[in-house]
């Protein structure tokens, strides 16, 4: 149900004439006042829908549903989750989720709350929702937005859990901004050192939610967003820097590939630490150079920044691919298909896109690690050249 001010007639008659006049306002202003005067009326709750049901989508739906059930004063209990319908063991996946409360294909062994309701129709999933959580592979997003265009009121708010950005030689599009533009709603971003199976198993982790309130009087504020995602095992820090959080989610994959090169050469932990440090410097520089509003602290202090880089460089898919590429000398896309079984290592594509972006602007040499990572994958550069390449930009004492 969309948020509305529902003042009981008894309470309303009890107000003074002056106080009554404050409520003879537009519907939008009544929405703003809703939480401030909650003791005087019955309040509609926020309805939340999750778009996506892969392992990360299901893990996020679990978190959201737990909070929706516990915080009945803020959220509607039922959380709808859009599921691309598939047949698993001769049953519809939605039927399995709704009866067995488990996503047996993408998150097996994890019980989902009973208030997670799997829905195969996209428009039915988002109907009457106040908050949308996007969690699909980014290549499916254009089709989803096309189907939803015109079906979502502008008062709806969204959070994108889709890591990365859309990059080309011509420019950069933040995923959250893409959703905002296509659907006419405000969208923030959730990103962090969050491996879906560990989060689903309720192993402690942190995340960053970047959410800059579009209107200071918006009732879906940072407190509401934190209430939606924060759990005892999943700690949330809310910041304003949507662009910075989104860039972290993309650029860290290039650093993870480079750390994989180091492990493939068996250079040890000191070398990997050096790559991580240099990677963070280039990530921060990239953000500040091309998005002036980006905050350096997002890269160095937040889960979406330094913590996600560390996790990704410790055994994520891009790290594994980078190590295998050095050890086997096989073509990178052949290795990707072999190692990841249909999943994609976004670092390879991102390395290529970032290179084209930097090359067009004539600044490739200012990002030696990003450039060397591209050259190692696509141009046959010997990975043992990394220290000499990085030394070229190191500062010497005067």
């Amino acid at each position: 149900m969309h948020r509305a001010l529902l003042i009981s007639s008894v309470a309303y008659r009890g107000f003074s004439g002056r106080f009554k006049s404050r409520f003879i306002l537009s519907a939008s202003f009544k929405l703003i006042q809703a939480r401030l005067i909650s003791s005087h009326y019955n309040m509609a709750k926020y309805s939340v829908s999750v778009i996506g049901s892969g392992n990360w989508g299901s893990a996020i739906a679990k978190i959201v549903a737990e909070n929706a059930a516990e915080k009945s004063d803020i959220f509607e209990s039922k959380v709808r989750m859009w599921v691309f319908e598939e047949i698993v063991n001769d049953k519809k996946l939605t039927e399995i989720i709704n009866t067995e409360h488990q996503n047996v294909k993408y998150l097996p062994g994890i019980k989902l709350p009973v208030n997670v309701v799997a829905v195969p129709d996209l428009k039915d999933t988002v109907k009457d929702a106040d908050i949308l959580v996007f969690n699909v592979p980014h290549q499916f997003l254009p089709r989803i937005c096309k189907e939803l265009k015109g079906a979502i009121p502008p008062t709806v708010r969204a959070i994108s859990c889709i890591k990365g950005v859309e990059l080309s030689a011509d420019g950069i599009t933040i995923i959250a901004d893409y959703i905002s533009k296509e659907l006419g709603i405000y969208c923030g971003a959730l990103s962090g050192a969050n491996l879906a199976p560990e989060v689903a198993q309720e192993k402690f982790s942190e995340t960053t939610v970047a959410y800059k309130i579009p209107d200071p009087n918006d009732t879906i504020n940072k407190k509401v967003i934190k209430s939606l995602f924060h759990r005892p095992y999943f700690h949330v820090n809310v910041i304003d820097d949507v662009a910075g959080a989104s860039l972290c989610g993309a650029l860290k994959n290039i650093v993870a590939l480079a750390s994989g090169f180091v492990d493939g050469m068996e250079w040890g932990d000191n070398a990997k630490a050096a790559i991580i440090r240099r990677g963070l410097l280039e990530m921060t520089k990239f953000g500040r150079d091309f998005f002036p509003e980006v905050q350096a602290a997002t890269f160095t202090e937040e889960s979406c920044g330094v913590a996600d880089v560390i996790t990704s460089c410790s055994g994520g898919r891009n790290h594994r691919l980078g190590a295998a590429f050095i050890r086997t000398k096989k073509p990178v896309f052949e290795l990707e298909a072999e190692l990841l079984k249909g999943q994609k290592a976004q670092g390879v594509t991102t390395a290529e896109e970032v290179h084209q972006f930097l090359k067009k602007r004539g600044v490739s040499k200012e990002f030696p690690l990003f450039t060397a990572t591209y050259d190692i994958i696509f141009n046959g550069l010997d990975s043992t050249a990394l220290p000499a390449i990085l030394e070229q930009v190191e500062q010497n004492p005067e």
Side-chain angles (χ1 to χ4, degrees), residues 37-284:
I37 54 172
S38 60
S39 61
H40 296 296
Y41 59 82
N42 299 317
M43 188 172 58
K45 303 169 186 177
Y46 297 114
S47 176
V48 185
S49 295
V50 177
I51 300 173
S53 56
N55 64 349
W56 186 220
S58 297
I60 285 292
K62 175 179 178 292
I63 286 170
V64 168
E66 288 169 352
N67 282 326
E70 290 180 11
K71 299 166 184 176
S72 58
D73 59 323
I74 304 175
F75 304 108
E76 295 282 358
S77 176
K78 182 169 75 173
V79 173
R80 285 170 291 184
M81 177 176 72
W82 178 63
V83 177
F84 182 79
E85 193 69 279
E86 301 178 63
I87 303 299
V88 179
N89 299 327
D90 298 323
K91 287 185 178 180
K92 292 180 179 179
L93 184 55
T94 53
E95 181 183 339
I96 296 172
I97 293 171
N98 289 334
T99 56
E100 299 179 19
H101 306 294
Q102 184 179 167
N103 189 335
V104 295
K105 181 165 184 179
Y106 296 107
L107 198 64
I110 300 296
K111 279 293 182 182
L112 299 177
V114 296
N115 57 319
V116 172
V117 178
V119 181
D121 184 272
L122 184 58
K123 287 186 177 179
D124 285 347
T125 304
V126 305
K127 185 179 179 182
D128 294 334
D130 300 295
I131 301 173
L132 299 178
V133 181
F134 285 84
N135 209 332
V136 295
H138 76 280
Q139 63 265 32
F140 299 142
L141 190 58
R143 180 179 65 81
I144 287 170
C145 287
K146 184 178 180 180
E147 186 172 344
L148 292 178
K149 187 171 286 191
I152 300 174
T155 52
V156 169
R157 299 293 176 251
I159 295 292
S160 169
C161 299
I162 306 166
K163 286 187 178 179
V165 297
E166 288 294 327
L167 265 164
S168 69
D170 295 324
I172 308 169
T173 301
I174 303 299
I175 297 293
D177 290 347
Y178 176 84
I179 293 171
S180 294
K181 180 181 177 182
E182 292 298 309
L183 300 181
I185 60 176
Y186 176 76
C187 184
L190 182 152
S191 186
N194 308 138
L195 299 177
E198 293 183 14
V199 173
Q201 293 164 21
E202 302 187 5
K203 295 179 178 179
F204 172 65
S205 63
E206 297 178 316
T207 200
T208 305
V209 175
Y211 188 83
K212 189 173 184 178
I213 304 172
D215 183 328
N217 295 314
D218 201 327
T219 59
I220 302 178
N221 53 33
K222 291 182 178 181
K223 288 183 179 179
V224 171
I225 294 300
K226 182 163 185 172
S227 294
L228 184 61
F229 293 105
H230 189 89
R231 298 294 297 159
Y233 59 88
F234 190 69
H235 287 193
V236 172
N237 190 39
V238 184
I239 64 173
D240 287 340
D241 190 4
V242 178
S246 302
L247 287 169
C248 284
L251 300 176
K252 57 97 177 183
N253 290 325
I254 305 176
V255 185
L257 277 173
S259 76
F261 299 160
V262 167
D263 278 349
M265 294 183 289
E266 299 183 356
W267 279 6
D269 292 336
N270 293 340
K272 186 190 288 188
I275 293 297
I276 289 173
R277 186 188 76 85
R278 294 308 300 260
L280 278 168
L281 287 174
E282 292 192 19
M283 288 170 59
T284 306

